[in-house]
Amino acid sequence: MAKRISLREYQEGVVARLKSAAATAQVNTRLGIRIGQDNWLVDLADVAEVMPVPPVSPLPLSQPWFKGVANMRGNLVSVSDLSAFFGGAALIASPLARLVLLHPKHILHSAVLVERMLGLKHLSDLSVDDTSHPRASTVYRDAAGQRWLALDVAALASDPGFLQAGQ
């Protein structure tokens, strides 16, 4: 005979299993983005929002990689071109470009401009590569041999060069 369980206990069990599954999925899943010529991975916990690029107002006397500020639902957000900040070519505007708003736990009202989104990538599908990159915390390779660089948002947000957008 099957054990009787109350509806409340059943629902609590389902909620607990869903939370556990979501936590595991977030630990192993990264957001794939294209910055310049490289594929990057960003931890989902470091991203507050991804959106199409709104109008950006340039600011005088700022670094070339600092694109300006954008109004996002009444808040002014600083917009930085990561490709140019990393020493590459400046991003050319396209319909595929996106603004990645960084999580406020790292830096308030800051977004980075990326060339395009590449979808979600599971770390279990990637292998760690023994090469290094000056801006990446880890370098990975996928089954097709493509290189993926892990972006450390906390290190970026505390980089004195990134914080000093003025000339």
Side-chain angles (χ1 to χ4, degrees):
M1 180 173 224
K3 178 183 172 189
R4 292 181 56 109
I5 186 167
S6 73
L7 179 59
R8 181 182 178 136
E9 289 174 346
Y10 176 75
Q11 289 175 330
E12 288 173 351
V14 169
V15 168
R17 286 192 301 276
L18 285 173
K19 284 182 180 177
S20 174
T24 302
Q26 283 187 348
V27 168
N28 295 325
T29 304
R30 299 290 184 266
L31 180 63
I33 57 177
R34 182 90 169 161
I35 301 171
Q37 299 300 314
D38 295 315
N39 297 328
W40 289 82
L41 297 171
V42 180
D43 191 334
L44 293 173
D46 294 334
V47 175
E49 186 176 353
V50 176
M51 63 183 300
V53 182
V56 177
S57 300
L59 296 177
L61 302 174
S62 60
Q63 297 290 344
W65 51 265
F66 186 76
K67 294 302 180 190
V69 293
N71 183 346
M72 293 177 59
R73 288 182 290 288
N75 293 314
L76 286 181
V77 175
S78 64
V79 178
S80 302
D81 181 343
L82 278 187
S83 178
F85 178 72
F86 290 160
L91 180 78
I92 298 171
S94 82
L96 296 175
R98 293 290 181 262
L99 210 55
V100 177
L101 185 63
L102 303 179
H103 198 282
K105 70 182 177 186
H106 298 298
I107 188 167
L108 288 174
H109 305 293
S110 182
V112 293
L113 192 57
V114 299
E115 186 176 331
R116 64 182 166 163
M117 306 308 297
L118 299 174
L120 295 176
K121 300 294 177 189
H122 298 279
L123 292 183
S124 58
D125 297 338
L126 305 172
S127 59
V128 176
D129 195 342
D130 33 343
T131 61
S132 65
H133 186 278
R135 291 284 182 177
S137 59
T138 310
V139 178
Y140 296 97
R141 294 269 176 196
D142 63 12
Q146 280 191 314
R147 185 173 77 157
W148 293 86
L149 307 168
L151 181 63
D152 185 348
V153 174
L156 177 69
S158 63
D159 183 330
F162 187 74
L163 295 174
Q164 185 58 43
Q167 289 183 341

